[in-house]
Amino acid sequence: MGKKLTKRKDDYSKWYNELVVGADLAENSGVRGCMVIKPYGFAIWEKMQAALDKMFKDTGHENAYFPLFIPKSYLSKEASHVEGFAKECAVVTHYRLKNADDGSGIIVDPDAKLEEELIVRPTSETIIWDTYRRWIQSYRDLPLLINQWANVVRWEMRTRLFLRTAEFLWQEGHTAHATKEEAIEEAEQMMNVYAEFAEKHMAMPVIRGLKTETERFAGAVETYCIEALMQDGKALQAGTSHFLGQNFAKAFDVKFANKEGKQEYVWATSWGVSTRLMGALIMSHSDDNGLVLPPKLAPIQVVIVPIYKGLEQLDAISEKVGPLVKELRAKGISVKYDDRDTQKPGFKFNEYELKGVPVRLAIGQRDLANGTYEVARRDTLQKEIVPMDKVVEKIEFLLEDIQKNIYQKALDFKASHITEVNSYDEFKTVLEEKGGFISAHWDGTPETENRIKEETKATIRCIPIDGKNEAGTCMVTGKTSNKRVLFAKAY
Amino acid sequence: MGKKLTKRKDDYSKWYNELVVGADLAENSGVRGCMVIKPYGFAIWEKMQAALDKMFKDTGHENAYFPLFIPKSYLSKEASHVEGFAKECAVVTHYRLKNADDGSGIIVDPDAKLEEELIVRPTSETIIWDTYRRWIQSYRDLPLLINQWANVVRWEMRTRLFLRTAEFLWQEGHTAHATKEEAIEEAEQMMNVYAEFAEKHMAMPVIRGLKTETERFAGAVETYCIEALMQDGKALQAGTSHFLGQNFAKAFDVKFANKEGKQEYVWATSWGVSTRLMGALIMSHSDDNGLVLPPKLAPIQVVIVPIYKGLEQLDAISEKVGPLVKELRAKGISVKYDDRDTQKPGFKFNEYELKGVPVRLAIGQRDLANGTYEVARRDTLQKEIVPMDKVVEKIEFLLEDIQKNIYQKALDFKASHITEVNSYDEFKTVLEEKGGFISAHWDGTPETENRIKEETKATIRCIPIDGKNEAGTCMVTGKTSNKRVLFAKAY
């Protein structure tokens, strides 16, 4: 806690890791690539979950739960899906351990080999569509709008807390529809739900777009996404929503009788966001002093630190603070009165700055005499003296203002980091010197996309939804193009 | 839906399975022993989760998340724990699949064998105490009061929906304390929290008690439990809370510096309830017509069914129902207006009876003319005609009354199914003819306990917390005993 963070400009990646651990958000576990989400980090995730869950339910979705394990044969049923997901996964081959005969310890019981291996779900399309076959017979059963909160596993070789871990937490929506149009509408709706969540709750502006074929989800016809920009100029894919066409319905033979009694294949979508959003949240707003949290997602919105010598002074302070805490809580504001006598005020100030608590109140002897609090806001680090009878109003104002202010700051940053270029040289220069999103013409081929990726490490983040048609030529091949796409280096 | 359930008296087990599937609670999946929890069943589980989560937080606990996988060596560190949990578990041995060279499909890549096998957590003591070693240094870090909502896997050979499944959902609390007394207090507190939840929310009376050594959690010094009684006279363990002593602290070397600076091992508890509670809930109250749900856990508390011919009649009804729905929702009552034109009222009545919706309103032409609703309560199946201006009041009364009534009914059933016996013959007769809990003297030895189990299939469910000391002699061996224990056949 006493140790200062590495500065962002000196080593952004080191700053991030120190911050995640220092602010008690998460840490690596003894299991390769798997993290422990600590209580403070998990409390933020719970707030995200609650807000998202409400948005899903408000748009007509229900939660359910499907098995953790997927029989190996299920994965193979959708050809492009298995190519994308079978490579890096945890495979369960046995169902029992036993004591070794030679007393050397516990070993896998060779007699307990599974007939068919089970894969720990990397995503649940296959097991869910195997289930939907039983649930869907008629148009009356549609649309089927289901979400699941779950853990998934993808065997990543290089992992980073929240951003890329072998096991992560997420939600995955899986919907079934009678028509193509309705399924596309659903996929677009969920992209918009994610964008609204990112902007309103996380205070993180995003760009809505479509993925290119190369970057599409394995098994999707179209992948919608929201892309955010981190402070180091790298993009982060924050959520995806897939129009799956009839691919999974055909793979799992899910048909319905339409109103005319004719059998048709069902249309599908799936969409998800994960604990990766925690990484996005951290990197969107935080500074060299620590985390900066949007008030809407802060587990502690207001902390009150007493400054005192001896129990008598503390009692006098607590007498003032007690009713304030009560009043704030009645307004639904999460407040912590930190009267621990094991730590000094300076230590506490640093701790809450590191943990990103939006508003900090301090109260000492002079404040008591004057009837004031010292009020500090985390985003700008500004402090002011506020009379006690105005402090609730001030806090309410600050919680709204901080939410707005950090969003605006991130929005300005994003706006100043979208650069239009018209040549490949210019592209490379901007990518190296400035980073951010680069808007350029591209000929629409995977070959050119891959060449750019190999030569510069930049990928096409998306074809923006609100991009205008504009005649142009591909910056690499000179072939014609009718729309700019956004490139960036990405997490 | 049209098909009647098997009657409880004809085949209780068949009745249960048909009810779970018929009421859309859960079903078996394509993965052996793993269930799919359907939206309606999951909505009940979410209500349970929300109530429990609040109770945990109100008693000072925070949520966190620990890895799904446990390295094999961790399990072995606590000797009795590994004996209890290593036997039936899912073992991950590889981390990649690949296309077979002979084109026969996807196979496990033999080059991707893990150095150390990973076990899918059957419970998380080991991975959590491995983490606590890093989190606990000083008495200032204690108590550590943490809960996790998670999925766990135990490779059960014979499974039943909700009651015994290979994968299930649960919460597991894991706390660390400076003193033995505080840890015991915590274990007792959580047993009481579970009992309160069972009685107040599930309307399910329970008996609080201690497990015998034989029935104790593998690694615990003492296991507290709540035991409920199902309608077929069998007991169901509904929740357990363990005082773990210093067993895991010693196995994982978790010490703290006490106030005098001396290093001591930490004291531990763990406690959990699972989706098994869904089975308990179903079997506590339901009848031959279907589910009976306590209003506090019912996803739909009130359903309104219009009875009409043609759109004009429906419109007239909807005009009356609209404001009622709004008024009920404003009071926090969950209400569904089922105006589907694809199903007849009789079908809907059966469906909501099967699904255990506590209060059903019907409204037809005569009701419209008279300004009334027909109000039916699910628990007693009684109906009455209620004037529109009294219907909200009536609904509020019914939701409270049903909650009370089904609790009282279960309480009476339990009270009439605790039988004191003083001989082994009497014991066997009561067990066969009546079932329920049998209160008897036992000599305190595992040998006698095992003999009774082998001969009668009854186990000691618990040594009741509120049992009185009473001199007696073991019904089997005649040895002295100073307290009665409760036997039953159990799920």
Side-chain angles (χ1 to χ4, degrees):
Chain A
M1 210 65 72
K3 221 181 100 215
K4 286 237 172 201
L5 292 175
T6 295
K7 288 193 192 318
R8 285 165 292 175
K9 66 173 173 52
D10 293 338
D11 188 338
Y12 191 81
S13 171
K14 204 173 164 197
W15 165 81
Y16 175 80
N17 288 333
E18 288 176 4
L19 177 51
V20 170
V21 174
D24 273 344
L25 301 175
E27 64 182 35
N28 286 308
S29 75
V31 187
R32 226 197 100 291
C34 293
M35 66 180 159
V36 174
I37 306 180
K38 300 180 80 172
Y40 191 65
F42 200 82
I44 299 172
W45 176 242
E46 281 184 306
K47 293 212 149 207
M48 289 191 180
Q49 279 191 296
L52 283 165
D53 198 70
K54 184 173 184 313
M55 293 173 92
F56 299 157
K57 284 176 176 156
D58 286 349
T59 44
H61 302 87
E62 297 179 296
N63 289 331
Y65 189 76
F66 298 87
L68 171 68
F69 298 126
I70 298 178
K72 195 186 66 179
S73 58
Y74 284 30
L75 267 191
S76 318
K77 290 195 178 179
E78 212 287 325
S80 57
H81 191 67
V82 69
E83 285 305 312
F85 284 102
K87 282 164 194 157
E88 39 190 39
C89 55
V91 188
V92 177
T93 56
H94 291 75
Y95 59 85
R96 197 187 303 132
L97 298 176
K98 66 166 197 172
N99 290 309
D101 294 337
D102 63 2
S104 62
I106 303 284
I107 60 165
V108 176
D109 185 344
D111 294 336
K113 195 169 184 312
L114 290 171
E115 276 182 42
E116 181 180 5
E117 295 88 352
L118 297 173
I119 312 306
V120 179
R121 62 182 162 217
T123 180
S124 302
E125 277 77 8
T126 56
I127 187 84
I128 288 180
W129 279 86
D130 180 67
T131 307
Y132 282 1
R133 188 179 54 248
R134 295 192 293 277
W135 293 3
I136 300 170
Q137 272 91 42
S138 141
Y139 71 94
R140 287 189 198 86
D141 302 320
L142 298 173
L144 189 57
L145 306 172
I146 290 184
N147 175 60
Q148 157 170 285
W149 290 96
N151 52 345
V152 286
V153 172
R154 296 176 189 177
W155 208 264
E156 302 285 353
M157 280 302 158
R158 280 189 295 175
T159 60
R160 292 193 64 192
L161 291 167
F162 290 124
L163 297 170
R164 196 175 293 276
T165 49
E167 182 192 14
F168 57 89
L169 303 183
W170 80 345
Q171 61 68 219
E172 45 182 326
H174 295 273
T175 69
H177 306 265
T179 67
K180 181 180 175 178
E181 294 65 36
E182 196 185 291
I184 291 177
E185 212 170 279
E186 165 80 7
E188 288 177 351
Q189 170 185 255
M190 298 322 290
M191 170 190 66
N192 289 328
V193 163
Y194 289 153
E196 189 186 331
F197 170 75
E199 298 185 341
K200 298 264 173 69
H201 293 265
M202 296 174 67
M204 181 176 79
V206 294
I207 291 172
R208 301 162 207 225
L210 282 167
K211 287 290 181 190
T212 61
E213 193 190 332
T214 317
E215 298 278 332
R216 214 174 269 156
F217 175 78
V221 174
E222 199 75 91
T223 289
Y224 298 83
C225 64
I226 57 169
E227 295 281 326
L229 189 62
M230 304 296 101
Q231 293 179 53
D232 62 347
K234 283 168 81 176
L236 187 145
Q237 176 179 298
T240 50
S241 179
H242 316 292
F243 167 56
L244 303 171
Q246 295 174 314
N247 292 349
F248 286 92
K250 285 178 181 166
F252 289 90
D253 196 31
V254 187
K255 292 180 190 165
F256 72 102
N258 68 16
K259 283 188 184 170
E260 290 75 39
K262 218 187 105 199
Q263 293 286 312
E264 288 185 46
Y265 284 112
V266 174
W267 298 87
T269 84
S270 69
W271 29 275
V273 295
S274 73
T275 35
R276 198 161 206 246
L277 286 180
M278 291 286 295
L281 181 74
I282 295 161
M283 289 198 291
S284 289
H285 309 299
S286 303
D287 62 24
D288 292 345
N289 296 317
L291 207 56
V292 174
L293 288 176
K296 283 194 185 172
L297 296 178
I300 305 167
Q301 294 174 307
V302 179
V303 65
I304 306 174
V305 178
I307 299 167
Y308 63 96
K309 286 195 185 115
L311 265 185
E312 200 175 317
Q313 287 191 5
L314 178 61
D315 285 346
I317 291 172
S318 299
E319 206 172 294
K320 287 286 175 197
V321 171
L324 175 63
V325 168
K326 220 169 150 180
E327 190 179 349
L328 291 171
R329 286 195 181 140
K331 286 175 178 285
I333 295 169
S334 157
V335 51
K336 178 172 174 176
Y337 176 41
D338 185 356
D339 59 355
R340 281 179 300 171
D341 62 0
T342 48
Q343 308 292 358
K344 294 224 155 40
F347 178 94
K348 295 178 185 175
F349 284 14
N350 286 337
E351 180 176 346
Y352 296 113
E353 216 160 271
L354 185 57
K355 289 191 161 185
V357 174
V359 177
R360 184 191 74 214
L361 268 57
I363 173 168
Q365 293 313 296
R366 188 182 301 178
D367 297 299
L368 260 191
N370 297 345
T372 57
Y373 282 99
E374 182 196 77
V375 179
R377 57 188 287 171
R378 175 63 185 86
D379 58 342
T380 61
L381 299 172
Q382 284 164 338
K383 291 183 213 172
E384 59 183 304
I385 303 298
V386 178
M388 284 184 177
D389 62 348
K390 299 274 187 225
V391 79
V392 171
E393 193 183 315
K394 185 73 188 178
I395 289 168
E396 288 182 302
F397 166 78
L398 282 177
L399 292 177
E400 278 193 32
D401 198 58
I402 294 169
Q403 185 84 27
K404 273 189 229 158
N405 180 53
I406 63 173
Y407 176 70
Q408 190 58 47
K409 202 174 154 192
L411 194 65
D412 293 345
F413 180 80
K414 191 192 82 172
S416 66
H417 284 79
I418 304 180
T419 313
E420 276 197 9
V421 305
N422 293 306
S423 77
Y424 197 27
D425 279 345
E426 201 186 341
F427 177 86
K428 289 177 189 163
T429 308
V430 173
L431 190 68
E432 283 318 305
E433 292 180 1
K434 186 178 178 187
F437 290 114
I438 306 183
S439 176
H441 280 287
W442 157 68
D443 64 14
T445 68
E447 292 72 27
T448 304
E449 188 179 2
N450 287 333
R451 180 182 152 191
I452 296 169
K453 185 177 177 180
E454 273 166 33
E455 291 176 356
T456 68
K457 291 186 182 153
T459 50
I460 301 180
R461 301 318 304 154
C462 70
I463 306 162
I465 295 285
D466 58 4
K468 290 182 192 73
N469 286 334
E470 177 195 286
T473 55
C474 173
M475 63 173 175
V476 177
T477 63
K479 291 183 191 161
T480 57
S481 150
N482 65 357
K483 202 174 180 181
R484 288 177 180 268
V485 299
L486 289 183
F487 290 85
K489 291 188 188 170
Y491 279 94
Chain B
M1 209 68 68
K3 222 182 99 212
K4 285 237 171 201
L5 291 176
T6 294
K7 287 193 192 322
R8 285 166 291 175
K9 68 174 170 48
D10 293 337
D11 189 337
Y12 191 81
S13 170
K14 204 171 165 198
W15 164 82
Y16 174 80
N17 288 331
E18 287 177 6
L19 177 52
V20 170
V21 173
D24 273 345
L25 301 176
E27 64 181 34
N28 286 308
S29 75
V31 187
R32 224 197 101 289
C34 292
M35 66 180 159
V36 173
I37 306 180
K38 302 180 79 172
Y40 191 65
F42 201 81
I44 300 172
W45 175 242
E46 281 184 306
K47 292 213 150 209
M48 288 190 181
Q49 279 191 296
L52 283 165
D53 199 69
K54 184 174 184 312
M55 293 174 91
F56 300 156
K57 283 176 177 157
D58 285 349
T59 44
H61 303 86
E62 296 178 296
N63 288 331
Y65 189 75
F66 298 87
L68 171 67
F69 298 126
I70 298 178
K72 196 185 65 178
S73 58
Y74 284 29
L75 266 191
S76 318
K77 289 195 180 180
E78 212 286 327
S80 56
H81 191 68
V82 69
E83 285 305 313
F85 285 101
K87 283 164 194 156
E88 38 192 38
C89 55
V91 188
V92 177
T93 56
H94 291 74
Y95 59 86
R96 197 188 301 133
L97 297 175
K98 67 167 197 173
N99 290 307
D101 294 335
D102 63 3
S104 62
I106 301 284
I107 60 165
V108 176
D109 185 345
D111 293 336
K113 194 171 188 306
L114 290 171
E115 274 182 43
E116 180 180 4
E117 296 88 351
L118 297 173
I119 313 306
V120 179
R121 63 184 160 214
T123 181
S124 301
E125 277 77 7
T126 55
I127 186 84
I128 287 181
W129 279 86
D130 181 66
T131 308
Y132 282 1
R133 189 181 50 250
R134 295 192 294 276
W135 291 3
I136 299 170
Q137 271 91 43
S138 140
Y139 71 93
R140 287 190 199 84
D141 303 320
L142 298 173
L144 189 58
L145 305 173
I146 289 184
N147 176 60
Q148 157 170 282
W149 290 96
N151 53 345
V152 287
V153 172
R154 297 177 187 176
W155 208 264
E156 302 284 354
M157 279 302 156
R158 281 190 296 177
T159 60
R160 294 194 63 191
L161 292 166
F162 289 124
L163 296 171
R164 195 175 293 276
T165 48
E167 181 192 14
F168 57 88
L169 304 183
W170 81 345
Q171 60 69 218
E172 46 182 323
H174 295 273
T175 69
H177 305 265
T179 67
K180 179 179 174 178
E181 293 65 36
E182 196 185 291
I184 291 176
E185 212 171 278
E186 165 80 7
E188 287 176 352
Q189 170 184 258
M190 298 322 291
M191 169 189 68
N192 290 327
V193 163
Y194 289 153
E196 190 187 331
F197 171 76
E199 299 186 341
K200 298 263 173 68
H201 293 264
M202 298 174 66
M204 180 176 81
V206 294
I207 291 171
R208 300 165 207 222
L210 281 168
K211 288 288 182 191
T212 60
E213 192 188 333
T214 316
E215 299 279 332
R216 215 174 269 157
F217 176 78
V221 174
E222 199 75 90
T223 289
Y224 298 84
C225 64
I226 57 169
E227 295 282 327
L229 190 62
M230 304 296 101
Q231 292 179 54
D232 62 347
K234 282 167 82 174
L236 187 145
Q237 177 180 299
T240 49
S241 179
H242 316 293
F243 167 57
L244 303 171
Q246 295 174 314
N247 292 348
F248 287 90
K250 284 179 180 165
F252 288 88
D253 196 29
V254 187
K255 291 180 189 167
F256 72 101
N258 67 17
K259 283 188 186 172
E260 289 74 40
K262 217 186 108 201
Q263 292 286 312
E264 288 185 46
Y265 283 112
V266 174
W267 297 87
T269 83
S270 69
W271 29 274
V273 294
S274 73
T275 36
R276 194 160 211 246
L277 286 181
M278 291 286 295
L281 182 73
I282 295 161
M283 289 199 289
S284 289
H285 309 299
S286 303
D287 61 26
D288 292 344
N289 297 316
L291 207 56
V292 173
L293 288 176
K296 284 194 185 172
L297 297 177
I300 304 168
Q301 295 174 309
V302 179
V303 66
I304 307 174
V305 178
I307 300 167
Y308 64 96
K309 286 193 185 116
L311 266 187
E312 201 176 314
Q313 287 191 6
L314 178 60
D315 285 346
I317 291 172
S318 299
E319 207 174 292
K320 286 287 176 196
V321 171
L324 175 62
V325 168
K326 221 169 148 181
E327 189 179 347
L328 291 172
R329 286 195 182 140
K331 286 176 178 285
I333 295 170
S334 157
V335 52
K336 177 174 176 175
Y337 177 41
D338 184 356
D339 59 354
R340 280 178 300 172
D341 61 1
T342 48
Q343 307 293 359
K344 295 222 156 39
F347 178 93
K348 294 178 186 176
F349 285 12
N350 286 337
E351 180 176 345
Y352 295 113
E353 216 160 272
L354 185 57
K355 288 192 162 186
V357 175
V359 177
R360 183 190 75 214
L361 268 58
I363 173 168
Q365 294 313 295
R366 186 182 301 177
D367 297 299
L368 261 191
N370 296 344
T372 57
Y373 283 99
E374 182 196 79
V375 180
R377 56 188 288 173
R378 175 64 186 87
D379 58 341
T380 61
L381 299 172
Q382 284 165 340
K383 292 183 212 171
E384 59 183 304
I385 303 298
V386 177
M388 285 184 176
D389 63 349
K390 299 274 187 226
V391 78
V392 172
E393 193 183 315
K394 184 75 190 180
I395 288 167
E396 287 182 302
F397 166 80
L398 282 177
L399 293 177
E400 277 194 31
D401 198 58
I402 294 169
Q403 185 83 27
K404 270 190 229 158
N405 180 51
I406 64 174
Y407 176 70
Q408 189 59 47
K409 201 173 154 193
L411 194 64
D412 293 344
F413 180 79
K414 190 192 83 171
S416 66
H417 282 78
I418 303 179
T419 312
E420 276 198 6
V421 304
N422 293 306
S423 77
Y424 196 29
D425 279 344
E426 200 186 344
F427 178 86
K428 289 176 189 165
T429 308
V430 172
L431 190 68
E432 283 319 304
E433 293 178 2
K434 185 176 177 189
F437 289 114
I438 306 182
S439 175
H441 279 287
W442 158 66
D443 65 15
T445 68
E447 291 73 26
T448 305
E449 189 179 2
N450 287 334
R451 181 182 151 190
I452 296 169
K453 185 176 178 181
E454 274 164 34
E455 290 175 354
T456 69
K457 290 187 181 149
T459 50
I460 300 179
R461 302 318 304 155
C462 70
I463 307 161
I465 295 283
D466 57 5
K468 289 183 192 74
N469 286 334
E470 177 196 286
T473 55
C474 173
M475 64 174 173
V476 176
T477 62
K479 289 182 192 161
T480 56
S481 149
N482 66 357
K483 202 173 180 182
R484 286 176 183 271
V485 298
L486 289 183
F487 290 86
K489 290 187 188 173
Y491 279 93

